[in-house]
Amino acid sequence: MDRVSALDEPLKTSLGPATAKVMAENLDLRTVGDLLHHYPRRYEERGQLTRLADLPLEEHVTVVAQVADSRVLKFNGGRGQRLEITITDGSGRLQLVFFGRGIHKPHKDLPPGSRAMFAGKVSMFNRKLQLAHPTYERLDADDGEGAVSAFAGKLIPIYPACKGLESWKIAKAVDAVLPQAREALDPLPPALREGRGLVPLPEALLKIHRPGSKADIEDARQRLKWDEAFVLQVALARRRYADRKLPAVARRAAPGGLLDAFDARLPFTLTEGQQKVSAEIFGDLATEHPMHRLLQGEVGSGKTLVALRAMLAVVDAGGQAAMLAPTEVLAQQHHRSIVEMMGDLAEGGMLGGAEQSTKVVPLTGSMGAAARRQALLDLVTGEAGIVIGTHALIEDKVQFHDLGLVVVDEQHRFGVEQRDALRGKGKQPPHLLVMTATPIPRTVAMTVFGDLETSVLDQLPAGRSPIATHVVPAADKPHFLARAWERVREEVEGGHQAYVVCPRIGDSLDETAEPKKKSPEDEAEKRPPLAVLEVAEQLAAGPLKGLRVEVLHGRMAPDDKDTVMRRFAAGEVDVLVATTVIEVGVNVPNATAMVIMDADRFGVSQLHQLRGRVGRGSAPGLCLLVTEMPEASPARARLGAVAATLDGFELSRIDLEQRREGDVLGQAQSGVRSSLKVLAVIDDEEVIAAAREEAVAVVTADPELERLPELRTALDALLDKDREQYLDKG
């Protein structure tokens, strides 16, 4: 018999087809196991028994009392009715009220003289204390004190519910399947469970759903957190183990080659961090299994330089390197800055090219046919050692002579399937370097990017300037906004340039696909977000009149975008009014000021990324966050946090705490499961780190988990076919 049949049983067998259908459609619960892993969100306490004379206002209480009288009253011209019941316990009196259709059952259940337990929240109406729609349980004459304290002290589980299936109905369904929890297979190796003092899985499931005390809940949560962390870390550890078994060509930089020639020309010394990370990367490239490394670097920490040196080492070793960027603007920017950094070393095969040089070609969707044909030819012959492009690199017709390294910039914008398609273009799996400027807390890196080794660049290169950030409350203090435009003028008059960022483009095809939810307490939410085209027009005619103001957004033709960026980089544009198209990789050292309009519409990490576009030269940077949100709003608190620190890792923690965990660990990013149920990646850092260590030990000792069939089964459940493939491609 199949060992997991009890938990694999379809819910319709236990609960009936109607309930099972609602659960499947609304909560994605299909089997007994799914329902047992649908944990309560919180628990309500009826509270200890309270004397009516001592009732605290606005608190949940449980009282035992006798019904003194009961009457139905009409109101609203006879259209509405309410039931008022007065109860007494000898120390005082209290009124219970029920409205509408909810009056019939209590009217019948609670005649004068009957005794019952009542639980609810104490409120005040007409200067009298009352309980509105309390829950109650009749007490028969022979019910003793035991029944009373059992009712009062009980923890009531509150489940994540949906339309047509309230929490109490889910609780009833859980009661029906809870006996089967005893047959749950325990994925944790016994030695690990006992060593960590964790309760067995069946006991944890019983305690999370029907706790006898708060200690039961804590026991269950600790155990279930370990399940989630450990099974996920085993999946990632097996992925890393399998990667180490793949063959790859070792790529060692040749002495006296391109890399040495490039290093000799650098006008500055590499930071300690850049040297350390480069050494890690070169160590990986020299092995005969593919590198899988995540390079995290603060905005402006010099990640591109580190990646370029890795690419040059691969070219020295006879291979080719491809850099993948999420947007055309960024691909062109990378191409320009790499060619500038390399000088004549990027002119391989051209007149005037240096002796050790290679060709650096761009490849984007908008290239002309002739340029594209030449680029494809340079790749297939090996003439081009480095190619920088967008998704266009993944097309079938793109062939490489010998692809040795893939560098992916801003991985979170790039599908795993796309990365996989590019890696498939090597004769053997190429080495992979993933870069991100979004700082990722250590636990998220271990959970979301757990199949990659991680390097962190947290030093800024010498010569980078500090950025001052201020919140500009446009609604409370309009003169602050006027002053912001004066500051932009002052920067331009001092020979510098500025960005103005808006959430929307503002043309007829605008981003109506992303309607903002209206928030009744926030007036600013009621108008559409500010738009590039409108703001640029207002600034050019008003506060920035006489300055050279231009626009940049994602819907412009690629050539037009490139022209605007080139002109801005060349200092021919004073103020660039743009969408977040400038968020990543745009490098104009002369730009010193940035004004972000409707800053509350952006996430914390996004604001940090945008801010990183200024202060890239020797002059200090200034970032102004303009908002109409009221001072006490959460949005203002978020902006205050961004203004208070330049530490991206600190901000990423704040960002994560404010977003739902599922968004961070959604399948789009982790490829493993849509969300974690009890594990919180920020709070449970110790559990995740310990689970990773245990997982590595288990996988090293038994890669196929032959001695741990229960863990293998849990892994199969976690990684269904699609997810397994997704993780394989990671």
Side-chain angles (χ1 to χ4, degrees), residues 440-675:
I440 302 161
R442 174 170 163 261
T443 44
V444 182
M446 283 193 291
T447 312
V448 181
F449 299 99
D451 57 332
L452 302 174
E453 299 300 328
T454 304
S455 294
V456 178
L457 269 180
D458 48 13
Q459 275 176 298
L460 289 186
R464 284 298 299 261
S465 302
I467 305 167
T469 308
H470 303 284
V471 178
V472 177
D476 307 352
K477 298 175 179 167
H479 59 287
F480 275 38
L481 183 57
R483 176 69 188 124
W485 301 126
E486 283 171 23
R487 284 292 290 111
V488 169
R489 262 192 186 283
E490 287 164 15
E491 290 297 312
V492 173
E493 281 160 12
H496 297 297
Q497 292 159 279
Y499 298 100
V500 176
V501 181
C502 304
R504 242 171 18 113
I505 296 171
D507 57 16
S508 54
L509 295 166
D510 225 328
E511 297 96 303
T512 45
E514 279 193 73
K516 264 300 214 183
K517 62 178 184 291
K518 297 280 188 285
S519 167
E521 67 271 23
D522 291 338
E523 283 301 310
E525 287 279 16
K526 292 185 179 170
R527 60 161 175 75
L530 292 169
V532 166
L533 301 177
E534 293 151 21
V535 168
E537 202 175 300
Q538 288 160 12
L539 291 176
L544 302 184
K545 193 172 181 177
L547 301 186
R548 296 168 297 175
V549 177
E550 295 214 8
V551 301
L552 180 72
H553 58 76
R555 222 174 272 133
M556 288 164 64
D559 287 353
D560 295 345
K561 279 192 280 202
D562 199 38
T563 304
V564 171
M565 271 319 302
R566 280 178 191 278
R567 294 186 57 235
F568 187 65
E572 294 163 23
V573 174
D574 298 322
V575 179
L576 188 62
V577 183
T579 54
T580 53
V581 75
I582 58 134
E583 178 184 349
V584 179
V586 172
N587 183 24
V588 180
N590 192 46
T592 53
M594 176 177 283
V595 181
I596 303 178
M597 308 303 291
D598 280 344
D600 47 88
R601 312 252 178 169
F602 299 97
V604 169
S605 293
Q606 199 172 26
L607 291 169
H608 182 59
Q609 289 277 358
L610 285 166
R611 166 171 66 183
R613 300 306 108 212
V614 296
R616 299 179 78 86
S618 52
L622 172 69
C623 179
L624 301 174
L625 308 173
V626 179
T627 178
E628 291 188 5
M629 286 294 165
E631 194 163 358
S633 65
R636 276 285 282 280
R638 206 168 66 233
L639 296 181
V642 176
T645 181
L646 290 170
D647 180 344
F649 285 91
E650 175 55 31
L651 288 174
S652 69
R653 285 185 80 94
I654 293 167
D655 195 21
L656 189 60
E657 280 161 8
Q658 290 178 342
R659 289 190 290 154
R660 281 181 43 245
E661 294 274 309
D663 298 339
V664 178
L665 299 174
Q667 189 170 325
Q669 287 189 42
S670 69
V672 175
R673 55 157 72 200
S674 54
S675 66

Side-chain angles (χ1 to χ4, degrees), residues 132-203:
H133 282 279
T135 54
Y136 60 88
E137 196 158 299
R138 279 283 303 265
L139 291 170
D140 295 322
D142 55 354
D143 276 342
E145 286 308 303
V148 173
S149 41
F151 175 89
K154 195 172 171 191
L155 289 159
I156 305 163
I158 306 298
Y159 288 91
C162 64
K163 192 177 174 188
L165 212 58
E166 298 88 346
S167 171
W168 63 269
K169 284 186 184 166
I170 295 172
K172 216 169 167 186
V174 168
D175 282 337
V177 302
L178 204 51
Q180 282 149 284
R182 298 182 195 286
E183 296 181 50
L185 293 182
D186 200 325
L188 294 190
L192 187 161
R193 194 182 71 234
E194 286 152 23
R196 300 261 169 196
L198 299 167
V199 299
L201 180 59
E203 187 183 328

Side-chain angles (χ1 to χ4, degrees), residues 280-356:
E280 289 170 349
I281 292 170
F282 292 148
D284 285 354
L285 289 174
T287 61
E288 292 184 350
H289 59 79
M291 165 171 80
H292 285 91
R293 190 165 283 280
L294 171 70
L295 172 55
Q296 293 188 63
E298 273 287 15
V299 178
S301 57
K303 288 184 305 300
T304 310
L305 177 62
V306 168
L308 174 56
R309 294 182 74 243
M311 293 196 285
L312 295 176
V314 168
V315 174
D316 270 348
Q320 290 168 294
M323 183 184 247
L324 215 55
T327 65
E328 294 222 354
V329 167
L330 189 50
Q332 284 156 344
Q333 174 78 32
H334 275 320
H335 180 253
R336 264 200 305 278
S337 61
I338 283 173
V339 167
E340 269 168 37
M341 279 196 267
M342 287 176 65
D344 59 0
L345 295 174
E347 293 172 3
M350 295 185 230
L351 217 56
E355 188 187 340
Q356 309 101 330

